[in-house]
């Protein structure tokens, strides 16, 4: 059974760096073609992919956020970490991590999400 | 980036009546492997998105057969044959053909 769970701060100040951790079980991030990605959703708004990392350490980033986002993995801990620099109020959102298979064209498993508010 | 649009953005429906949501992409979602990677997700209030349909018309396990997907190229449709109370929520299409994967703006389904 695949499960994912996000953790991190619920409140960050403007200009700070956000660090979120996705802890998962039921699969290995060292097995082809597994990947774990991050998706966010501002309150009442649509979903937006941020980044994904694959079993071979290949990474893909959002076109608009690539300068601010970094994704890394710790295979031994079954964790993926997202960092986003220079946070602002527009980055207030629920952040989800998700499991996907490269080349599958889809994402089937999502975490429960974690709400991050950016405010001074 | 591939831009996804949906219509309508709000869909009030009478219980037991059909509902239809349109999704369009700014470029063809047909991939070189012969597949078309168009997905539909349902997001109930306060919940994470749940995948309903993948590759245009393949229903996920446990998804009621009143949900169906169709389309090709740049035009796709999600249909609910008879809306039930548990279908209330926001429905998103998502293309998986090209990175970055992109979602439509969502269609809010509510009961009249």
């Amino acid at each position: 059974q695949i499960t994912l769970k996000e953790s991190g701060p619920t409140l960050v100040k403007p200009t700070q760096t956000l660090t979120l951790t996705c802890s998962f079980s039921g699969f290995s991030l060292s097995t082809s073609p597994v990947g774990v990605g991050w998706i966010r959703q501002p309150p009442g708004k649509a979903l937006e992919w941020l980044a994904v990392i694959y079993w071979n350490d290949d990474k893909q980033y959002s076109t608009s956020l690539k300068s601010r986002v970094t994704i890394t993995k710790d295979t031994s801990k079954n964790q993926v970490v997202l960092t986003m620099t220079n946070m602002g109020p527009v980055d207030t959102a629920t952040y989800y991590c998700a499991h996907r298979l490269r080349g599958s064209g889809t994402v089937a498993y999502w975490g429960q999400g974690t709400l991050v508010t950016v405010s001074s | 980036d591939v831009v996804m649009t949906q219509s309508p953005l709000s869909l009030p429906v009478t219980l037991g009546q059909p509902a239809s949501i349109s999704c369009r992409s700014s470029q063809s979602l047909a991939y070189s492997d012969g597949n078309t990677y168009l997905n539909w997700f349902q997001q109930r209030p306060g919940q994470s998105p749940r995948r309903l349909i993948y590759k245009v018309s393949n229903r996920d396990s446990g998804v009621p057969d009143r949900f169906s997907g169709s389309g090709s190229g740049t035009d796709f449709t999600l249909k609910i044959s008879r809306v039930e109370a548990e279908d209330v929520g926001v429905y998103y299409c998502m293309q998986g053909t090209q990175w970055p994967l992109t979602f439509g703006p969502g269609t809010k389904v509510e009961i009249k």
Side-chain angles (χ1 to χ4, degrees):
Chain A
Q1 180 191 4
I2 290 176
T3 64
L4 306 101
K5 188 172 183 179
E6 307 84 354
S7 60
T10 58
L11 180 66
V12 298
K13 292 181 173 14
T15 74
Q16 285 187 335
T17 294
L18 171 69
T19 300
L20 293 174
T21 300
C22 175
S23 301
F24 56 85
S25 63
F27 65 94
S28 171
L29 196 41
S30 58
T31 302
S32 171
V34 176
V36 173
W38 288 92
I39 302 155
R40 72 176 179 178
Q41 184 175 36
K45 295 188 178 180
L47 299 149
E48 176 186 25
W49 273 92
L50 302 177
V52 62
I53 189 166
Y54 293 103
W55 81 100
N56 59 358
D57 210 38
D58 193 20
K59 303 162 189 175
Q60 292 176 304
Y61 292 101
S62 156
T63 307
S64 59
L65 292 168
K66 63 195 307 182
S67 64
R68 297 176 51 209
V69 171
T70 303
I71 190 169
T72 59
K73 63 180 174 73
D74 186 329
T75 305
S76 64
K77 291 184 179 179
N78 281 353
Q79 290 182 335
V80 170
V81 174
L82 180 82
T83 59
M84 183 179 294
T85 60
N86 193 25
M87 294 289 285
V90 297
D91 297 311
T92 293
T94 296
Y95 288 75
Y96 297 97
C97 63
H99 165 283
R100 73 178 304 252
L101 299 177
R102 191 165 201 171
S104 69
T106 190
V107 53
Y109 303 96
W110 298 65
Q112 64 189 28
T114 184
L115 175 61
V116 177
T117 301
V118 183
S119 175
S120 54
Chain B
D1 297 3
V2 178
V3 177
M4 306 297 290
T5 57
Q6 290 181 231
S7 63
L9 298 183
S10 178
L11 184 56
V13 191
T14 301
L15 287 174
Q17 293 301 300
S20 180
I21 300 170
S22 173
C23 173
R24 288 185 173 173
S25 56
S26 60
Q27 52 191 270
S28 175
L29 300 185
Y31 192 58
S32 55
D33 63 0
N35 291 306
T36 298
Y37 294 112
L38 187 282
N39 305 267
W40 289 98
F41 293 87
Q42 174 195 62
Q43 188 174 33
R44 291 173 172 150
Q47 294 187 12
S48 302
R50 165 200 181 197
R51 194 181 67 181
L52 300 176
I53 303 279
Y54 60 97
K55 286 194 285 187
V56 180
S57 59
N58 294 272
R59 210 169 30 245
D60 269 275
S61 174
V63 174
D65 60 9
R66 64 180 181 273
F67 288 93
S68 63
S70 63
S72 64
T74 61
D75 290 335
F76 305 92
T77 303
L78 177 70
K79 292 183 178 177
I80 311 174
S81 59
R82 297 171 306 278
V83 172
E84 298 189 6
E86 66 177 17
D87 300 335
V88 165
V90 182
Y91 291 78
Y92 295 94
C93 59
M94 185 199 84
Q95 66 83 17
T97 296
Q98 181 182 122
W99 181 264
L101 309 187
T102 47
F103 293 89
T107 295
K108 186 173 185 178
V109 172
E110 58 184 10
I111 304 301
K112 280 183 185 176

